[in-house]
Amino acid sequence: MEFESFLVSLGTSAVIFVVLMLLFTWLSRRPGNVSVYYPNRILKGMDPWEGSSLTRNPFAWIREAFTSTEQDVVKLSGVDTAVYFVFLSTVLGIFALSALLLLPTLLPVSATDNSLKNSRSATDTTSNGTFSQLDNLSMANISKKSSRLWAFLGAVYWVSLVTYFMLWKAYKHVAALRAEALMSSEEVLPEQYAILVRDIPSPPKGETQKEFVDSYFREIYPETFYRSLVVTENSKKLARAEAVFAATSNRPTNKTGLLGLVGERVDSIDYYTKLINESVTKLEAEQRTVLAEKQQTAAVVFFTDRVTAALAAQSLHCQMVDKWTVTEAPEPRQIIWENLKIKFFSRIVRQYLIYFLVAITILFYMIPIAFVSAITTLGNLQKALPFIKPIVEIAFIRTILQSYLPQIALIVFLAMLPKFLMFLSKSEGIPSQSHAIRAASGKYFYFSVLNVFIGVTLAGSLFDNLKALEKKPNSIITVLATSLPKNATFFLTYVALKFFVGYGLELSRIIPLIIFHLKKKYLCKTEAEVKEAWYPGDLSYATRVPSDMLILTITFCYSVIAPLILVFGVIYFGLGWLILRNQALKVYVPSYESYGRMWPHIHTRILAALSLFQLVMFGYLGIKLFVWTTLLVPLIFISLIFGYVCRQKFYKGFEHTALEVACRELKQRPDLEEVFRAYIPHSLSTHKGDDHQFKGAMSRYQDYAAISAA
């Protein structure tokens, strides 16, 4: 990429961001758009503008985001969201502190060497020999065996030490935040009085599954056992009956024929009251059949106090590990009911099978990503499609294509993957939604690093040097070692595109706004449907965290080779913190609460990115023939030891609830019957026609029920 194209890309992205931000300030003040820009506040019964009017300062949202506290985030969006902001601020601190030393130190060291002037080696530049302005400010301009390489080796140690310090500080903070939330005496949390039991053996002859579970746990916990809820197989008939009930409760029509368009015109209230009562009868009949005949080998067991539930979740209940498997109960809204019946060894087999499928996916996805990365460079595109040559010779079009084509192609290609990875994660037999999201997030992270970062880094070099590799296969080591600096400008542009255009679209919410107004005008017939149309969902951690991790990995790996990328990393995470703070306080509604259980996984992946950075620098300093490169070897082992120490010290507190946390007394005495009913699947709840004639049937998800009642 030429210097002019890089500046055009950067400038255009910045202009797009400014335009989108101005659109946000205008659109968000219009009363007709309030449900798109302030849904979280609306659902919590708050004034969307809270203390300000429609004519407020258009940039007041920036002040509100900066002045909000962590407790504000916890109150409005939950502990998981607060932990996500700890992640953003931690990475921002790592890159800011790293830039504080690296920029004033490494840039002059690189700029005052004359390596590139003396040997214009195309394989030792950061942009295929065309972007000399950036080359002169990078490690590519340092001569081999130069004593200046000491500065770069020291920089690797500085970045690593800053990372260790910030991660240790963040882990302690998140652990304290999680404990504080779990010790809260403000409200009763059903999951703190329950455990999830799987792999229940067959009951003795003459006993039902429920009687067997009750007797087993009553014997172990005679004073604190309350009752159990055996998981049942909700048959297709039951699901259909529930769907019919929901449909007859909501459909606003007054004709009895096909699609409500033809047939006898009747009184809507009388007609649907009759249908509701009929569907309730069918639903209750199917419920009785399910409860009596279709009990599974899993149950939720309830206790009278939190300490017993926490103790039971951490205890081994059976000598055989494949029987009476006990874990902490997830939130009721999180449970993936169909996975609970999957047996212990079946889950293990599924897990390894999914790992294999993910590895195959990564391997085969790398082929098209490498092809897209290689072919979408303008030179290679002209070779593959000669007929476009007259078009790309136009200066303006050529500049635009050089600026955006490879990055946009990569972003579009990645958008196809998340749903598939979520499907694979749920197929492992994972019992809760938050656990599935953590698993999918991990798969997506390793996919991104292996396919996007490493794949894109190597693809261009392999494409350009294919003939050389055919003649001399052992030169692949040299090609791989020198390929990283050549793609610096690609990743600089990629990061800029992500924070300017990506966060601009996030703030402006143009796409959700258009979709909402189209649905409202053409599809929505009831107030409940309108509210469902603007419901925003959550922050989508399964894709958001891995995307941030990819930027983190890129910035880490180029932080010493091309230190200017630290500026882009600081802008990405700083802008992300600001904009997503606004979205968390006003827009997104959490779909679950795991009290920061994502953090240990985030911590591990940050350390994985740091270790990759250390390995990359070990290889690149070796290519520079620096004899003291071996001094980086201890640093790699220090990273492994640091990760091990953190896991041993903190992880157990995230895997289980500590007894000192669970023993705190609540202000109010828990209603154990309410705790029990919270876990009853909606399809097994008792519906009464009179209660739902005008409110709509109970939804399968509690969030939608909250929307309907808002």
Side-chain angles (χ1 to χ4, degrees):
M1 180 186 290
E2 297 174 358
F3 184 54
E4 179 186 357
S5 299
F6 176 75
L7 291 180
V8 167
S9 171
L10 199 61
T12 306
S13 299
V15 169
I16 292 173
F17 175 77
V18 172
V19 170
L20 291 172
M21 186 173 68
L22 293 175
L23 271 175
F24 163 75
T25 60
W26 176 59
L27 293 171
S28 63
R29 290 185 291 163
R30 298 178 67 85
N33 299 331
V34 67
S35 57
V36 175
Y37 292 100
Y38 302 96
N40 192 10
R41 288 188 173 183
I42 292 173
L43 290 172
K44 287 182 170 55
M46 300 170 60
D47 177 5
W49 291 282
E50 196 165 336
S52 57
S53 67
L54 288 172
T55 58
R56 66 177 187 163
N57 182 339
F59 299 103
W61 67 273
I62 298 176
R63 176 182 55 80
E64 292 170 8
F66 275 122
T67 56
S68 64
T69 65
E70 188 171 69
Q71 287 307 310
D72 292 332
V73 176
V74 172
K75 180 181 177 182
L76 287 169
S77 201
V79 177
D80 287 327
T81 304
V83 169
Y84 177 68
F85 283 107
V86 173
F87 160 62
L88 292 179
S89 58
T90 299
V91 177
L92 178 62
I94 291 171
F95 291 151
L97 289 174
S98 298
L100 198 64
L101 180 66
L102 267 59
L103 291 178
T105 303
L106 299 187
L107 292 183
V109 170
S110 299
T112 54
D113 206 327
N114 298 314
S115 175
L116 293 178
K117 286 184 179 180
N118 297 332
S119 70
R120 305 301 299 175
S121 171
T123 62
D124 201 31
T125 67
T126 56
S127 53
N128 299 315
T130 61
F131 193 5
S132 59
Q133 291 91 336
L134 182 60
D135 294 338
N136 291 333
L137 298 176
S138 73
M139 196 173 171
N141 198 36
I142 303 297
S143 305
K144 292 181 179 180
K145 300 182 180 181
S146 172
S147 59
R148 295 174 183 243
L149 293 171
W150 275 107
F152 295 89
L153 187 144
V156 178
Y157 267 87
W158 172 252
V159 172
S160 301
L161 293 175
V162 165
T163 304
Y164 300 147
F165 170 74
M166 295 298 295
L167 285 181
W168 183 265
K169 182 180 176 183
Y171 220 143
K172 288 179 66 176
H173 177 66
V174 173
L177 184 64
R178 171 179 165 83
E180 181 183 354
L182 290 173
M183 286 189 294
S184 174
S185 58
E186 297 297 325
E187 59 179 324
V188 175
L189 302 175
E191 61 271 18
Q192 292 188 333
Y193 291 86
I195 58 173
L196 178 63
V197 184
R198 305 172 78 178
D199 309 307
I200 300 173
S202 299
K205 190 174 181 179
E207 280 189 7
T208 65
Q209 194 80 298
K210 177 173 173 50
E211 291 170 343
F212 184 40
V213 172
D214 287 353
S215 62
Y216 183 84
F217 282 97
R218 188 176 287 112
E219 183 179 355
I220 300 175
Y221 307 98
E223 297 180 358
T224 53
F225 171 76
Y226 176 61
R227 63 189 298 183
S228 67
L229 174 66
V230 176
V231 176
T232 56
E233 181 184 356
N234 295 3
S235 67
K236 292 181 180 180
K237 287 184 179 180
L238 179 56
R240 183 180 182 279
E242 187 186 31
V244 169
F245 178 78
T248 54
S249 299
N250 284 318
R251 189 176 299 136
T253 183
N254 56 359
K255 289 188 177 183
T256 61
L258 180 65
L259 299 178
L261 300 175
V262 296
E264 180 186 358
R265 186 176 294 275
V266 296
D267 181 274
S268 297
I269 295 178
D270 292 341
Y271 177 68
Y272 284 114
T273 298
K274 179 181 177 182
L275 287 184
I276 288 171
N277 291 332
E278 290 176 357
S279 63
V280 166
T281 302
K282 294 177 181 178
L283 180 61
E284 291 179 345
E286 189 63 30
Q287 286 175 346
R288 287 190 292 270
T289 301
V290 167
L291 290 173
E293 301 175 3
K294 300 181 179 180
Q295 296 181 347
Q296 302 292 308
T297 58
V300 182
V301 175
F302 302 89
F303 299 93
T304 57
D305 63 75
R306 298 194 295 179
V307 173
T308 305
L311 187 62
Q314 303 174 41
S315 303
L316 182 67
H317 286 76
C318 181
Q319 294 185 32
M320 302 294 108
V321 295
D322 62 333
K323 297 184 187 302
W324 299 104
T325 305
V326 175
T327 59
E328 289 186 357
E331 285 183 304
R333 59 181 172 176
Q334 285 194 53
I335 294 180
I336 305 175
W337 294 100
E338 59 268 23
N339 280 356
L340 299 186
K341 64 183 179 182
I342 301 174
K343 294 288 190 177
F344 180 83
F345 289 111
S346 178
R347 296 197 297 271
I348 294 176
V349 172
R350 282 169 174 252
Q351 188 177 45
Y352 284 107
L353 181 60
I354 295 301
Y355 289 165
F356 174 75
L357 289 176
V358 170
I360 294 296
T361 302
I362 291 174
L363 178 63
F364 283 98
Y365 240 74
M366 186 175 287
I367 296 172
I369 280 189
F371 178 76
V372 168
S373 172
I375 202 67
T376 52
T377 59
L378 200 54
N380 292 332
L381 200 61
Q382 286 180 259
K383 293 177 184 177
L385 305 171
F387 61 86
I388 69 168
K389 188 173 182 180
I391 300 175
V392 299
E393 285 180 351
I394 301 172
F396 174 75
I397 295 178
R398 181 183 183 86
T399 300
I400 293 296
L401 289 175
Q402 283 184 325
S403 302
Y404 289 111
L405 187 61
Q407 291 82 5
I408 292 176
L410 182 59
I411 290 172
V412 171
F413 214 78
L414 284 176
M416 300 156 52
L417 188 68
K419 288 186 181 295
F420 177 64
L421 294 181
M422 178 60 76
F423 167 76
L424 289 181
S425 296
K426 289 183 177 180
S427 298
E428 292 181 35
I430 288 172
S432 70
Q433 189 71 17
S434 62
H435 190 175
I437 286 174
R438 293 195 297 272
S441 174
K443 295 176 179 66
Y444 196 46
F445 166 70
Y446 292 112
F447 173 88
S448 298
V449 171
L450 293 172
N451 273 303
V452 180
F453 177 61
I454 296 177
V456 168
T457 298
L458 301 183
S461 298
L462 293 173
F463 194 91
D464 296 336
N465 297 279
L466 193 57
K467 291 184 178 179
L469 289 173
E470 288 177 358
K471 296 179 181 178
K472 194 176 180 182
N474 59 358
S475 65
I476 190 170
I477 298 175
T478 304
V479 171
L480 298 182
T482 58
S483 61
L484 194 67
K486 296 177 64 178
N487 290 279
T489 53
F490 172 88
F491 285 117
L492 282 171
T493 309
Y494 179 78
V495 175
L497 191 65
K498 289 280 286 184
F499 67 67
F500 275 141
V501 179
Y503 282 135
L505 289 171
E506 173 67 57
L507 179 66
S508 66
R509 288 183 61 78
I510 290 292
I511 296 174
L513 180 69
I514 293 172
I515 292 173
F516 165 67
H517 282 295
L518 288 174
K519 284 184 175 181
K520 183 179 178 182
K521 185 171 183 179
Y522 297 107
L523 299 177
C524 298
K525 305 300 182 184
T526 66
E527 187 64 25
E529 290 175 341
V530 172
K531 290 174 181 176
E532 187 176 342
W534 57 252
Y535 186 72
D538 60 18
L539 273 167
S540 302
Y541 298 110
T543 54
R544 191 178 296 277
V545 172
S547 295
D548 293 339
M549 285 291 182
L550 176 60
I551 303 299
L552 166 78
T553 304
I554 292 169
T555 308
F556 260 146
C557 290
Y558 282 97
S559 60
V560 173
I561 293 174
L564 278 178
I565 203 168
L566 285 169
V567 176
F568 290 78
V570 167
I571 295 173
Y572 176 87
F573 286 98
L575 203 58
W577 186 95
L578 176 65
I579 290 174
L580 292 174
R581 192 83 163 190
N582 177 78
Q583 306 300 79
L585 294 172
K586 300 172 185 175
V587 179
Y588 292 115
V589 180
S591 59
Y592 65 85
E593 179 63 82
S594 69
Y595 298 96
R597 282 191 169 178
M598 176 71 88
W599 175 256
H601 302 266
I602 290 175
H603 179 272
T604 300
R605 284 155 203 157
I606 293 175
L607 280 179
L610 179 69
S611 298
L612 179 61
F613 157 66
Q614 293 165 346
L615 289 170
V616 163
M617 290 310 303
F618 178 81
Y620 194 60
L621 284 170
I623 292 298
K624 288 289 186 179
L625 304 180
F626 186 55
V627 295
W628 296 103
T629 300
T630 52
L631 290 178
L632 288 181
V633 174
L635 199 58
I636 297 171
F637 286 100
I638 290 173
S639 294
L640 296 175
I641 294 171
F642 176 78
Y644 175 78
V645 171
C646 286
R647 183 176 180 84
Q648 294 299 112
K649 181 176 178 64
F650 297 111
Y651 183 71
K652 286 291 184 181
F654 287 83
E655 186 180 17
H656 301 292
T657 300
L659 298 184
E660 68 173 359
V661 172
C663 72
R664 296 297 180 96
E665 292 186 5
L666 295 173
K667 289 183 179 179
Q668 55 180 317
R669 184 178 179 83
D671 184 339
L672 295 177
E673 192 59 27
E674 286 292 328
V675 170
F676 172 77
R677 282 200 294 266
Y679 278 90
I680 299 176
H682 291 304
S683 57
L684 294 178
S685 299
T686 302
H687 299 270
K688 298 296 183 183
D690 293 341
D691 295 337
H692 296 279
Q693 285 184 26
F694 308 107
K695 295 180 182 178
M698 186 182 295
S699 169
R700 200 175 276 273
Y701 300 100
Q702 292 179 349
D703 290 335
Y704 289 132
I707 291 172
S708 299

